[in-house]
Amino acid sequence: MSDTVDAEDLALLATGFEAAMAEETRPAETDQALFDLGWAELLSAAPSQGAATAFRALGTTNSAAGLLDDVVANALGIGISPQTCVVFPAPHQAEAPAHPQGDAMVVDGLVSARAEGATTAVLAVEANGDVSINSIDAGLLQGPVAGGVDPGRAYRRLSVEIPADALVPVPTSGSWESAVAAARTALAHQLLGGARWMLAEARQHAVDRAQFGRPVASFQAIRHKLAESLVQIEGAASVAEACLDDPDPLLAALAKSLAGQAAATTATHAQQVLAGIGFTAEHQFHYWLKRMLVVDTLFGSASSLPAEIGHHLLSRGTVPRLIQL
Amino acid sequence: MDPETFRRDLGAWLDDNANELAPPYEGAGSMDEQMAHYSHVKRSLYDAGFGRYGWPESVDGLGGSPLLRAMVGEEINLRGLCDPNPWTMIEVLVPTVIGFARPEVAAALVPPFLRGDEMWCQGFSEPDAGSDLASLSCRAAKTDGGWLVSGQKIWTSFIQYAQRCVLLTRTGEPNSAHRGITALLVDVDSPGITYSPIETMHGRLDFAEVHYDEVFVPTERLIGEENGGWQVAMDILPYERSTTFWHRGALLHRRLSDLVAQLVANGDRSDTAARALGHAFQSLVAFRSRSRDTQHRLADGQQLGVETSIDKILITSAEQQLFGAVRDLLGGVVEFDDDIDAAMWRTDYLYSKAAPIYGGTAEIQRNIVARRLLDLGPES
Ligand SMILES: Cc1cc2nc3c(=O)[nH]c(=O)nc-3n(C[C@H](O)[C@H](O)[C@H](O)COP(=O)(O)OP(=O)(O)OC[C@H]3O[C@@H](n4cnc5c(N)ncnc54)[C@H](O)[C@@H]3O)c2cc1C
C-alpha cells in the first residue's frame, strides 16, 4: 500500500481541515486554504487514507469544498490544483459524463462549485465502450447559476454541447474504474460524517427536550430510531474503512451504497426526533439533509447501486469473498 | 501458529478429506443424522489438530489465536460440511467455562466437548423469564456438598443430545434479580431432570422444556461465584456474538452464492433480482466487516461487551434480507416445492425468523444500543 502517513500527522491534518472547512468562506477560498494546509501532498502520499480524513470532515462540517475534483483527478493520475475541476457523472450514475454526437460532444453530468472559478476541466468521454480522459477550457462549462435543493450549492447539473475539437487528450495512469472507486470511497466517508453529525444533533435534542414530564429520549420509539441509525452507520463505516486497505471497486460500490442508506435512515430518524424545530429553516439540520440528498446521487446512489452490484454478481455467477479475517 | 499458514493447511486438509467429511445424507438430514455427523466432523478436526487450535493447553488445546477457531468454522460452513447450530454451543459456552469454572473441572470436562464426543446445552430461559432473564426463578438450594435444583427451563437447545448444561439458577431471595443468580455446570443424566422436546415451526426438535426436581449438583460444579451468575451470563453473551456469528456469516455467504447460481440457472437477470441480491449482499458485507473487526478485537485480548449488540442486529438483518430475497425471487419454491433443494431453502427461510428472537431479541438489542452506546439515559 502506498498509504503511509502516521496516525498523529493525520489527526493533526484532520483538525486543520475541519477548522478551515468550518470557516464561512466561499468554496474557492476553502479549497485554497486546504491546499495551503497540505491537501495535495496528503493525497499523493496517502490517497485513500487522506481522502477519507478530509471527506469525514466535509461530512461533519457540511463544507462545499471541491475536494471530489481532486480525488478523481488524482486517481486518474492527473495533477491537481484549486483551478482544476472535474465533470462528474449524471445523478445516480457512474458512467463517463460525455459522449460524441457528430462533431459535438454531449455533456450530461454534474460539476462542483469549483467549476465556477476553474481554468481547466477534466472530462471523461465514453465512445464505443472505451473511456478517454480529456482536458477542456473550464470556460466552456459555464451555465446557469446553480439552483437545486442544496443552499450550499456544492454541486450543480451540467448539460451542454461543446465542439469536439475543444478536447485535448490527457495522459493518465489510473483507469476511470479506479477513479470511480476512489470517489465512492471518499463520498462514503462524507456521507457517514454527515450521518454522525445528524445523529449527534438528534441525540442531544432527545436528551434535552422534555415532554410529558420526562426527556423524549426516555421513549422507546425514539430510542429505537436512534439505535437503528447508529447500527447502520457502524455497519457502513466498517466497510468504508475496509476500502482503505482494499481498492476492490466492488467493495467501494458497497461502501457507497451502505453509507447512502445509513445517511438516509439517519436523516429520516433524526428529523422525526427533532420534529417541529427540525423542519425549520432556522435549525441547521436541513443543510445536512439537503447536502446528503445531493451527495447520495454522486457516482451511484443508495437506490441505484444495489441493482448495479446485483447485476455484477449475476454476471460473475458467484459471490466474491470480500472481507477476510 | 500464523493464521495465514493455518488457513492454507486447513484448506488443503479439508480438500484432501472432502469425501470423508461430507454429510452422508442428502439435504438437511434428520436431527439424529445431523448430530452424528457433527460429532464426526468435530472428531476428525480434533484428531487432525485443527480443532484444537485457538483453545488453551489447560483444556487440551494447542493454543494460538481465537482467529484460528473463527477460520475453522468459516471453512466448514463455506463448504457446507456441517450445520453450524450444534457447533455454536462450544463457541458460546467454553470460553466462559474456562474463565469461570474451577480449572480442574474445565480440564476434565471441556476436552470431550471439543472432541465432539459430547454436547452441552444452555439452560437460561424460563417460561416466565425470557427477555427479562434476571427474573428467573429456577431455584438452587444449598445442601450437603452442593445444591438441589428445582424448577423449570424452556427453549433449552440440544438437551436431548447433551451431557452437560450451563444452568442459571436462583440462589438469592426471589426478588434478588441479577444479584441472586448462580451458574452451575450440571450433568444432564442427573436424577431428577426430565425434558420433553418442542417442535419448532421449521419442523425440528431443536429445543425442549426441562424440569428440574431436586437435582443434586456438587459444589465443585459452581461456575464463577455463588450469586455471581449474572456476571457469568454477561460474559457469555459477547462470545455468542463473535466467533459463532462469523461462522454463521460464512453460511449466509454460501447460501447467497447458491441463490446467485440458482438465478443464473433460471436465466433470471432482471433488475428486480439484481436489486434484491445487491441489498442482501451489502447487508452481509456490512455484517462481515463489522464482525471481522470484532474477531480481531477478541484476538487482541480486548474485552468484548455491549458493542457486539450491533453485530447481532447486523447479522439478523443480513439473514432476513437474504432469505427474504430467496422467497421473493425463486417464484414459489419456498411455498410449494418439495425437492431437496426446496426443502433446504424452506428450512433456511423459516429459521431466519428466529434470528431476531434467540440470543436476545431485536428489541432488547436496540434497548442496549440506546442505553449503553448512545447514552440516552433510562427508559420511561
Ligand atoms: C431457535 C431458538 C433457540 C433458543 N435456544 C435457547 C437456548 O438454548 N437456551 C435458552 O436459555 N434460551 C434459548 N432460546 C430462548 C431465547 O433466548 C428467548 O426466546 C428470548 O430471550 C426471548 O424470550 P421470550 O421468547 O420469552 O420473549 P419475551 O421476552 O416474552 O418477549 C416477547 C416480545 O416482547 C418484547 N420485549 C420484551 N421485553 C422488552 C423490552 N424491555 N423492550 C421492548 N420489547 C420487549 C420482545 O422483544 C418480544 O418481541 C431460544 C430461542 C429460539 C427462538
Side-chain angles (χ1 to χ4, degrees), chain B residues 347-366:
Chain B
T347 299
D348 284 344
Y349 173 81
L350 291 173
Y351 190 65
S352 73
K353 302 296 175 187
I357 300 170
Y358 57 67
T361 69
E363 290 73 27
I364 295 302
Q365 304 304 333
R366 282 167 178 78

Side-chain angles (χ1 to χ4, degrees), chain A residues 220 224, chain B residues 89 121-127 129-133 153-158 200 202 206-207 351 354 356-364 367 379:
Chain A
Q220 198 174 67
H224 284 195
Chain B
M89 301 314 296
C121 60
Q122 181 180 14
F124 284 19
S125 305
E126 297 181 4
S131 299
D132 186 8
L133 185 61
K153 293 283 169 180
I154 197 165
W155 321 129
T156 309
S157 298
F158 302 114
T200 64
H202 69 314
D206 264 15
F207 42 36
Y351 190 65
I357 300 170
Y358 57 67
T361 69
E363 290 73 27
I364 295 302
N367 290 350
E379 236 178 81

Side-chain angles (χ1 to χ4, degrees), chain A residues 199 203 206-207 214 217-220 222-224 226-228 230-232 234-236 238-239 242 250-251 254 257-258 261 302-303 305-311 313-315 317-325, chain B residues 7 67 70-71 74-75 78 246 253 256-257 260 263-264 268-271 274-275 277-279 281-282 285-286 288-290 292-293 295-296 310 313-314 363 366-367 369-371 373-380:
Chain A
L199 177 58
R203 183 209 161 267
V207 170
R214 58 212 138 162
S218 70
F219 301 122
Q220 198 174 67
I222 297 287
R223 300 166 81 82
H224 284 195
L226 298 177
E228 185 57 34
L230 182 65
V231 169
Q232 288 201 18
E234 294 299 356
S238 173
V239 179
L250 181 59
L251 194 61
L254 288 158
S257 186
L258 284 161
Q261 182 186 302
S303 76
L305 283 164
E308 179 188 317
I309 292 162
H311 278 300
L313 297 182
L314 287 168
S315 56
T318 56
V319 181
R321 229 163 107 197
L322 287 178
I323 303 284
Q324 306 285 355
L325 270 184
Chain B
R7 191 207 290 279
L67 285 180
M71 284 178 180
E74 180 180 27
E75 294 300 327
L78 285 172
W246 185 256
H253 182 92
L256 179 61
S257 301
V260 169
L263 291 168
V264 170
D268 184 352
R269 289 173 188 274
S270 63
D271 284 343
R275 197 168 296 117
L277 284 178
H279 277 292
F281 187 39
Q282 76 185 31
V285 169
R288 275 172 58 87
S289 186
R290 168 80 185 183
R292 185 211 14 211
D293 300 344
Q295 310 305 321
H296 280 277
I310 290 183
I313 297 170
L314 290 173
E363 290 73 27
R366 282 167 178 78
N367 290 350
V369 172
R371 180 75 203 249
L373 301 179
L374 284 168
D375 195 19
L376 291 175
E379 236 178 81
S380 61

